[in-house]
Amino acid sequence: VSALFIRGVGFIYNRTIWSLIPETEDYQEFNNVKRRRRRKFDKYVPFPTRSSSNSPEYEDNLGESIRSYINTGETVLEVATGVGITAVIAARCVGDEGKIITYEGSKSRVKEAENVVELNDVIDKVEINQGIVESDSSRLSDGNSADNIIPVSELPSADVFIIDCDGCEFGILNNSGKLPKKIIVEHHAVLDIQPEIEYQPDRIRDRLYDLGYDILSETETEMNESLPQFGNAETVFVAQK
C-alpha cells in the first residue's frame, strides 16, 4: 500500500509540481545526450522525477549504428524525431558541413526535441519539422494530430535516411524512388495498435536486398522489459547501395 501511495504521489508531482521547480545546472542524460536540466529536490523526493534518472543505454543499438556509419558532411533525413536524442547523435557525426532534417508527428515531442538540440549546441545543424510522413499518418504518438502530412515522395534528398518510426518502415521502404544511397532502419514489433506490427527482420532484410542495397550491419538486441508494446527484440539494419 505504501509503495502504491508513493507511486501515486510521484505521478501527480511529475505532472503538476515538477514543472514549477527551479532548474539546476546539472543535466539528465540519455546516451551521452543532454535531455533536461535537473530540478531542485530531484535527489530528495522518494520517487523518480522527470529529470532525475539517466538512461545511458537509450536507443543504444540505433545510436551505435549512427556513430559507426554516418560521416562528416552528410545530409541526414530522419523519420521520426522522438525526443531528439538520435538527431543530436547524428548531428555530432556530420560536423559543421552536414545537416539533419527530421520529422515528428507529436507536437509535444517536437517541443522537447527542440529543447534537446538546443541544450546540446547543435540547433544550427538540426531542422525539426512537425508533421507525419505519409506512411505514418494513421498512428500519432501522445494522441496529437499533425498540422500537415508529408508524402514520402516530397521528402527532401539526403545522403542517409534514418527510419525509426515504429512500424512505418515497411511503408517507407515501399516508396523506393526516394531512397538514398545509405539507409539505417530500426525494426521491432508494435503490439499496441490494430492491426499489430509483427517483428519481421527477415522481411526488412529481403526488402533491402530487393531495392539493391548491401547490408553493412545487422544488430539484434533485446527490448527493454518496460516497453512490452514493442515485443522482445529489435534489429537495426545499416544498408548501402
Side-chain angles (χ1 to χ4, degrees):
V1 173
S2 61
L4 186 61
F5 175 77
I6 290 173
R7 287 181 60 186
V9 171
F11 180 88
I12 295 171
Y13 178 93
N14 277 295
R15 284 156 180 78
T16 56
I17 300 172
W18 177 85
S19 61
L20 304 176
I21 302 296
E23 295 178 339
T24 70
E25 294 302 313
D26 192 15
Y27 294 95
Q28 176 193 41
E29 292 193 359
F30 278 40
N31 201 335
N32 295 315
V33 175
K34 297 172 184 176
R35 181 173 180 183
R36 299 185 182 99
R37 285 189 182 273
R38 296 189 189 277
R39 306 276 174 154
K40 292 183 178 180
F41 312 130
D42 276 351
K43 297 179 180 179
Y44 305 110
V45 294
F47 44 75
T49 74
R50 292 178 61 191
S51 56
S52 61
S53 58
N54 292 327
S55 184
E57 297 182 354
Y58 180 85
E59 293 279 26
D60 197 35
N61 192 2
L62 181 59
E64 285 306 306
S65 296
I66 291 171
R67 291 184 178 104
S68 298
Y69 292 97
I70 289 181
N71 303 313
T72 301
E74 290 183 321
T75 297
V76 178
L77 189 146
E78 180 186 43
V79 183
T81 316
V83 297
I85 305 301
T86 51
V88 172
I89 294 172
R92 291 171 176 171
C93 295
V94 301
D96 293 337
E97 301 302 317
K99 183 177 182 180
I100 313 300
I101 306 168
T102 182
Y103 294 86
E104 173 59 45
S106 166
K107 292 181 181 179
S108 62
R109 288 190 174 187
V110 166
K111 184 176 180 179
E112 181 163 7
E114 289 171 345
N115 292 333
V116 167
V117 299
E118 184 174 3
L119 281 176
N120 289 274
D121 299 321
V122 294
I123 193 168
D124 58 325
K125 290 184 286 187
V126 180
E127 174 190 318
I128 303 174
N129 299 279
Q130 198 273 311
I132 295 292
V133 174
E134 185 178 20
S135 300
D136 195 19
S137 59
S138 63
R139 296 183 294 110
L140 301 176
S141 58
D142 300 339
N144 293 307
S145 61
D147 289 336
N148 59 310
I149 304 298
I150 299 96
V152 175
S153 60
E154 294 184 8
L155 292 174
S157 299
D159 301 302
V160 187
F161 273 16
I162 300 173
I163 303 176
D164 179 19
C165 52
D166 296 350
C168 299
E169 54 269 31
F170 295 110
I172 292 175
L173 290 176
N174 285 334
N175 288 270
S176 56
K178 198 64 181 180
L179 297 180
K181 182 177 181 180
K182 188 162 47 180
I183 191 167
I184 300 174
V185 186
E186 180 186 270
H187 170 64
H188 51 69
V190 186
L191 306 178
D192 59 347
I193 62 170
Q194 293 297 327
E196 294 182 350
I197 304 295
E198 297 180 4
Y199 178 54
Q200 299 176 297
D202 291 345
R203 182 181 170 192
I204 296 289
R205 186 187 311 108
D206 290 345
R207 182 58 182 158
L208 289 169
Y209 282 138
D210 289 344
L211 292 169
Y213 285 95
D214 293 325
I215 307 296
L216 303 180
S217 173
E218 180 179 336
T219 309
E220 183 178 76
T221 56
E222 293 183 359
M223 287 299 295
N224 190 321
E225 293 181 356
S226 67
L227 300 170
Q229 70 270 29
F230 294 146
N232 298 320
E234 73 171 16
T235 297
V236 172
F237 295 89
V238 182
Q240 182 168 300
K241 287 187 177 181

